[in-house]
């Protein structure tokens, strides 16, 4: 049959979820054959307008000398997950807010559900303040997602 039987094509799709199928078109007697289908999601094009990220530090759950800080963050200038910086006092840790959160996706469908975070941080004995900041992906500033005060017994 020779080497010249591959194909590639660019198709325009609307924003949202679409099913793309390919068929081999028969050149004689017989029918066409399905080569398969795939589902693709096209996110909306969002221009960077320098808007500040938003979200919330929802919980800090302490266990021994560590805690899980959790919440969600969105930069309204991108549908992609963004960085969140967590601080215990002056000690920082960068995480990506890319965990699936169906509640966030339902509230902000243009951005999708993958904007949650849950990360373990280490705590010293005594009282500490755990803070979270959403890091802007383009023009504009970062945003505080809030702080929680926690205590680890001695």
């Amino acid at each position: 049959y020779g080497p010249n039987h591959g194909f590639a094509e660019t198709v325009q799709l609307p924003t949202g979820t679409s099913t793309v199928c390919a068929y081999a078109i028969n050149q004689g007697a017989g029918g066409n054959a399905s080569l398969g289908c795939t589902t693709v999601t096209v996110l909306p094009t969002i221009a960077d307008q320098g808007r500040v990220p938003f979200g919330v530090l929802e919980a800090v759950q302490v266990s021994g000398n560590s805690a899980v800080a959790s919440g969600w963050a969105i930069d309204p200038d991108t549908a992609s997950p963004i960085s969140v910086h967590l601080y215990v006092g002056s000690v920082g840790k960068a995480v990506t807010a890319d965990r699936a959160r169906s509640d966030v996706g339902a509230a902000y469908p243009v951005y999708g559900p993958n904007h949650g975070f849950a990360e373990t941080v280490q705590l010293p004995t005594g009282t500490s303040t755990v803070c979270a900041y959403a890091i802007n992906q383009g023009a504009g500033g970062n945003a505080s997602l809030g702080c929680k005060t926690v205590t680890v017994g001695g």
Side-chain angles (χ1 to χ4, degrees):
Y1 296 103
N4 299 323
H5 298 285
F7 67 93
E9 185 65 34
T10 300
V11 295
Q12 296 296 317
L13 298 173
T15 299
T17 302
S18 298
T19 301
V20 178
C21 300
Y23 296 88
I25 306 303
N26 190 31
Q27 297 296 312
N32 300 329
S34 172
L35 300 177
C37 298
T38 189
T39 300
V40 296
T41 300
V42 177
L43 297 175
T45 301
I46 302 171
D48 189 347
Q49 299 174 19
R51 296 176 289 181
V52 176
F54 60 94
V56 66
L57 172 62
E58 294 173 316
V60 177
Q61 297 178 334
V62 177
S63 176
N65 279 79
S66 63
V68 175
S70 60
W72 59 272
I74 291 174
D75 182 337
D77 295 328
T78 179
S80 298
I82 65 171
S83 292
V84 170
H85 290 183
L86 300 172
Y87 286 90
V88 177
S90 62
V91 178
K93 184 175 192 178
V95 300
T96 302
D98 60 357
R99 291 185 179 215
R101 289 281 304 261
S102 60
D103 58 330
V104 174
Y108 303 98
V110 132
Y111 302 104
N114 296 327
H115 296 284
F117 65 90
E119 187 67 28
T120 301
V121 294
Q122 297 305 309
L123 301 171
T125 300
T127 300
S128 298
T129 301
V130 179
C131 296
Y133 298 89
I135 307 304
N136 197 305
Q137 296 300 294
N142 302 329
S144 172
L145 299 178
C147 298
K148 305 272 187 200
T149 301
V150 295
T151 302
V152 173

